[in-house]
Amino acid sequence: PPRIHRLDESVVNRIAAGEVIQRPVSAVKELVENSLDASSTSISVLVKDGGLKLIQVSDDGHGIRYEDLPILCERHTTSKLSKYEDLQSIKSMGFRGEALASMTYVGHVTVTTITRGQLHGYRVSYRDGVMENEPKACAAVKGTQIVIENLFYNMIARRKTLQNSADDYTKIVDLLSRFAIHHIDVSFSCRKHGAARADVHSVATPSRLNAIRSVYGLLVAQNLIKIEASDNDPSSSVFEMDGFISNSNYVAKKTTMVLFINDRLVECTALKRALEVVYVATLPKASKPFIYMSITLPPEHVDVNVHPTKREVSLLNQEVIVEKMQSVVESVLRNSNESRTFQEQ
């Protein structure tokens, strides 16, 4: 039989990195979530060649301490938790300490950061999880700027499959649009390198509907119905949900479902299917809905550690919760169904 040998550390790290950073948009998501964890009020993203040439994420958060820079991009270094039990009550978006490390194994990462009260910032480059040089003092504006260049330069097959698809920039714009309508106290911007105007440009606003209008446009915003639901029955399910769903006048070819659970942007296929079923059954035309939902649950009822990119979470009593949401949406839709407006051609 073939001999079993221990894989080289660099091979292990690169394989793991390919799971966490699946495409440019996953790198942007991790960086934006780090910026949100750093209590930023403004986050801007710059992208070149769909993210393969360059991704730059700048924020005005609390920055990174000088003494933490040496281990910043090592695997499993994090400021979010210290023992496994902390996972049960975690409120921050990141926790594994793999995102930044993964980026350094598949791209060239440069970090510029300044913390409050410092006279100057520091700039440092990383490769394969370690600093390439000592941090250099430099001029910096409040917060952190992370630049990733030549993503997947050492993963030829991945790079080829991504080069043929021009849709990664659209995915990044879509991602930031979702963040912008949930985190309404943060300004977001996203633009292509060399473009004069941003494709996402949202400013902090007290009204969620305003945020949806500025990001998704007037046509979406004027056809939305506010929706709320909650349950406080420890035996079945405990949750609070508020959001907006499209009414019978809204027409679209595909479903837009923006779902946040405990402030994390996630996907829940079961919930999405259940709501699509309601729309098909309630509305005469098979138009796809626009749905924004923010669900708050006790942290110990959510398992955030099910997917390497944290895209999915699993919930306690998921069926019960999905069923309750489904019935709330159905009753709201049935009541709104009386008033339809038709435009003449």
Side-chain angles (χ1 to χ4, degrees), residues 310-343:
K310 310 191 286 277
R311 197 173 73 206
E312 291 163 28
V313 293
S314 76
L315 312 176
L316 190 69
N317 306 325
Q318 185 166 305
E319 292 84 8
V320 184
I321 294 177
V322 167
E323 211 169 286
K324 287 192 171 146
M325 308 258 180
Q326 197 178 13
S327 63
V328 168
V329 169
E330 189 167 10
S331 69
V332 168
L333 270 185
R334 287 208 185 288
N335 295 339
S336 80
N337 215 2
E338 279 94 64
S339 62
R340 289 200 71 186
T341 52
F342 294 96
Q343 272 146 355

Side-chain angles (χ1 to χ4, degrees), residues 196-232:
R197 53 181 291 274
D199 292 287
V200 175
H201 183 70
S202 76
V203 290
T205 163
S207 140
R208 172 131 310 131
L209 211 50
N210 277 351
I212 295 178
R213 186 179 297 116
S214 78
V215 174
Y216 286 98
L218 186 63
L219 259 174
V220 177
Q222 65 195 146
N223 287 320
L224 293 182
I225 316 166
K226 187 154 178 49
I227 178 171
E228 285 176 339
S230 64
D231 190 10
N232 203 2

